[in-house]
């Protein structure tokens, strides 16, 4: 029986009495087709014909494969996955633009895609020259920031006002309501968990009275924590070492073993670091004032929220220590970093135990004082001709403000 040659895309029914029909490739019209495009069901004979049968079809199919592969990555690859998802969205938006006549310019190279699919590390050096240019243009224009969902700090959420801990400082065991049962309920992951074990009494940690400057040191630590979480969009877990290093660079208490004696001194140091070349592009002085507002908000929540915040900071530092220990490659000053993190962890734990023993009304008073300090900083902020120091800010203070305090 003679074979039948078809050019239709409809599949033919084959049986022992009816040999299979042979369908001509829809692309080259020269060879018999052996494959079917999973998206448009077009028949083709080879890889070149598949790539040329529909540029948008093949690119879309490859992009979906990349996204599916990225979803299967382990949580340790979270940073890489986020970067790649942003890159894919950038190129998807460019491809969807009808004014873009050259479709090939809106895609990642085959080499980059193959590296992604194979699970390899991808960084800026793996991109082609044209891909780097498009990525840098998107970065400079702010397109990448638009693709990142705005993060709302947990201390500004309604659930933060209802944080409760046990009398010994440990977190309470609460029944979790699923979102399906109560769509309006807050997710338990929004608020950092408190300590898993009871906090010891200060008399078991030190034999003398705690320093009266601990309130100043607490504000310094609060500022560094809020700054870091806003910088990392709330996701310090994606880079625990980097997040912990930011905390140490902003906090004089944790990073420099500093002993600020006044709130003005503590806030001026933090603002000076915020306006330094390392972090100037984040927002400068105005961003620093936003962090001061965050500090006031956290203090207004009371002791339980402060304990949860310090517990979250302790987890960050411990995670950074664990990452440094697991890294096989030697980093410059790795030993010094580990020592600083260890000391910072101890200080945070001590402050946490101290906070737990303070009366609740102390935090509202401290919040009011920090708010007053912000007013002084705002008066000073208009003069950029001299550096931010405690002396300069103090000179701008009015006597009425001091008398009021």
């Amino acid at each position: 029986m003679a074979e039948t040659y078809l050019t239709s895309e409809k599949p033919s029914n084959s049986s022992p009495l009816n040999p299979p029909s042979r369908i001509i490739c829809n692309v080259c019209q020269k060879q018999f087709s052996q494959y079917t495009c999973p998206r448009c069901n077009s028949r083709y004979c080879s890889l070149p014909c598949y790539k040329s049968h529909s540029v948008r079809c093949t690119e879309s199919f490859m992009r979906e494969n990349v996204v599916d592969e990225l979803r299967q990555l382990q949580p340790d690859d979270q940073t890489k996955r986020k970067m790649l998802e942003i890159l894919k969205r950038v190129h998807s938006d460019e491809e969807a633009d009808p004014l873009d006549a050259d479709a090939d310019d809106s895609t990642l190279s085959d080499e980059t895609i193959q590296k992604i699919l194979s699970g390899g590390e991808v960084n800026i050096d793996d991109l082609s020259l044209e891909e780097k240019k498009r990525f840098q243009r998107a970065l400079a224009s702010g397109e990448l920031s638009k693709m990142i969902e705005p993060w709302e700090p947990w201390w500004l959420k309604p659930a933060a006002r209802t944080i409760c801990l046990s009398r010994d400082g440990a977190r309470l065991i609460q029944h979790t309501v699923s979102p399906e049962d109560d769509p309006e309920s807050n997710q338990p992951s929004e608020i950092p968990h408190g300590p898993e074990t009871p906090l010891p009494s200060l008399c078991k940690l030190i034999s003398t009275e705690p320093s009266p400057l601990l309130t100043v040191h607490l504000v310094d630590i609060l500022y560094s924590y809020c700054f870091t979480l806003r910088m990392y969009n709330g996701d310090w877990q994606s880079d625990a070492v980097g997040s912990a290093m930011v905390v140490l660079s902003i906090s004089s208490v944790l990073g420099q073993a500093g002993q600020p004696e006044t709130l003005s001194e503590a806030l001026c140091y933090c603002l000076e670091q915020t306006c330094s070349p390392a972090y100037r592009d984040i927002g400068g002085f105005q961003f620093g004032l936003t962090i001061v507002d965050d500090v006031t908000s956290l203090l207004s929540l009371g002791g339980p929220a402060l304990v949860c915040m310090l517990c979250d900071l302790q987890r960050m530092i411990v995670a950074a220590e664990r990452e440094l220990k697991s890294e096989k490659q030697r980093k410059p000053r790795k030993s010094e970093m580990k020592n600083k993190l260890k000391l910072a962890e101890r200080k945070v734990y001590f402050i946490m135990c101290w906070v737990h023993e303070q009366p609740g009304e102390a935090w509202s008073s401290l919040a009011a004082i920090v708010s007053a300090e912000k007013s002084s900083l705002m008066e000073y902020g208009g003069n950029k001709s001299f550096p931010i120091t405690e002396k300069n800010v103090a000179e701008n203070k009015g006597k009425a403000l001091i008398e009021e305090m």
Side-chain angles (χ1 to χ4, degrees):
M1 183 179 293
E3 293 183 343
T4 305
Y5 303 97
L6 303 174
T7 59
S8 170
E9 297 182 3
K10 295 181 179 180
S12 60
N13 297 325
S14 61
S15 65
L17 299 178
N18 183 22
S21 300
R22 306 298 297 275
I23 299 178
I24 299 296
C25 174
N26 293 342
V27 182
C28 65
Q29 298 289 328
K30 295 178 180 179
Q31 303 292 334
F32 294 118
S33 64
Q34 302 182 35
Y35 312 100
T36 302
C37 174
R39 293 188 62 84
C40 65
N41 293 325
S42 178
R43 301 297 296 267
Y44 61 94
C45 63
S46 61
L47 182 59
C49 286
Y50 171 73
K51 290 184 176 180
S52 61
H53 89 281
S54 173
V55 175
R56 294 185 180 275
C57 181
T58 54
E59 290 173 357
S60 179
F61 177 67
M62 294 177 69
R63 184 170 288 107
E64 288 183 0
N65 284 339
V66 171
V67 173
D68 291 339
E69 187 72 14
L70 290 175
R71 289 173 179 170
Q72 298 177 4
L73 293 176
Q74 297 298 322
D76 293 341
D77 298 327
Q78 188 173 7
T79 303
K80 178 177 68 176
R81 184 177 69 248
K82 287 187 175 181
M83 185 193 76
L84 293 176
E85 287 177 347
I86 290 174
L87 285 173
K88 303 307 291 185
R89 287 198 294 269
V90 170
H91 294 301
S92 298
D93 290 344
E94 290 180 354
E95 183 187 51
D97 187 357
L99 299 178
D100 187 5
D102 189 359
D104 291 336
D105 289 342
S106 64
T107 60
L108 294 173
S109 63
D110 292 340
E111 293 79 7
T112 303
I113 292 178
Q114 288 300 325
K115 193 168 186 178
I116 295 172
L117 293 175
S118 63
E121 294 288 338
V122 178
N123 53 46
I124 191 69
D125 296 328
D126 295 318
L127 303 179
S128 65
L129 180 60
E130 185 61 30
E131 290 169 346
K132 288 181 180 179
K133 290 180 179 179
R134 290 199 302 273
F135 179 78
Q136 292 169 352
R137 285 198 299 268
L139 189 63
S141 64
E143 289 298 320
L144 294 183
S145 61
K146 294 178 182 178
M147 296 177 185
I148 301 176
E149 295 182 4
W151 176 69
E152 181 184 6
W154 63 264
W155 52 86
L156 299 181
K157 295 180 180 292
R161 303 175 191 152
T162 60
I163 298 176
C164 294
L165 298 174
S166 63
R167 302 182 79 179
D168 54 14
R171 66 182 182 184
L172 298 174
I173 300 177
Q174 299 178 347
H175 175 69
T176 302
V177 181
S178 64
E180 291 79 6
D181 298 334
D182 186 5
E184 298 182 357
S185 64
N186 293 300
Q187 296 294 330
S189 59
E190 288 182 350
I191 309 300
H193 295 302
E196 296 183 358
T197 56
L199 295 175
S201 174
L202 280 180
C203 62
K204 296 182 179 180
L205 300 178
I206 55 174
S207 57
T208 60
E209 288 293 324
S211 170
L213 299 179
L214 289 181
T215 53
V216 177
H217 299 177
L218 174 64
V219 170
D220 171 277
I221 295 173
L222 286 172
Y223 186 103
S224 64
Y225 173 82
C226 296
F227 179 95
T228 303
L229 257 66
R230 282 197 178 272
M231 179 177 175
Y232 279 85
N233 214 33
D235 185 19
W236 63 258
Q237 292 88 348
S238 62
D239 184 9
V241 174
S243 301
M245 291 299 104
V246 172
V247 169
L248 297 187
S249 66
I250 297 295
S251 170
S252 65
V253 174
L254 299 180
Q256 304 297 329
Q259 299 288 328
E261 298 181 358
T262 65
L263 286 178
S264 179
E265 180 184 352
L267 290 175
C268 284
Y269 180 88
C270 293
L271 285 169
E272 186 177 356
Q273 301 308 309
T274 303
C275 298
S276 66
Y279 304 114
R280 184 182 301 156
D281 295 336
I282 297 179
F285 186 75
Q286 292 301 320
F287 180 72
L289 294 180
T290 300
I291 303 302
V292 177
D293 286 335
D294 289 334
V295 173
T296 304
S297 298
L298 264 169
L299 289 171
S300 301
L301 294 175
L306 294 174
V307 170
C308 289
M309 167 262 151
L310 291 166
C311 192
D312 192 41
L313 178 56
Q314 184 188 32
R315 291 191 201 97
M316 178 198 302
I317 298 174
V318 171
E321 291 180 285
R322 192 180 301 114
E323 284 187 14
L324 281 177
K325 187 176 181 180
S326 63
E327 288 180 354
K328 295 182 180 179
Q329 57 182 2
R330 289 190 175 182
K331 281 189 174 183
R333 303 170 61 189
K334 181 176 179 179
S335 177
E336 180 183 352
M337 292 168 61
K338 291 171 65 176
N339 291 335
K340 281 191 172 184
L341 289 173
K342 193 65 178 177
L343 290 175
E345 179 195 349
R346 293 176 180 175
K347 287 183 180 180
V348 170
Y349 184 72
F350 177 79
I351 292 282
M352 189 192 313
C353 297
W354 173 79
V355 166
H356 172 62
E357 294 189 2
Q358 304 310 304
E361 57 271 15
W363 308 123
S364 57
S365 300
L366 183 57
I369 298 175
V370 173
S371 181
E373 286 291 340
K374 182 197 171 185
S375 300
S376 300
L377 293 169
M378 290 177 66
E379 293 177 7
Y380 158 79
N383 190 346
K384 300 181 180 179
S385 60
F386 52 99
I388 303 174
T389 63
E390 182 186 10
K391 180 180 178 181
N392 292 334
V393 175
E395 290 175 353
N396 281 354
K397 282 187 177 182
K399 292 184 177 179
L401 173 62
I402 299 177
E403 293 174 359
E404 179 183 354
M405 294 313 303

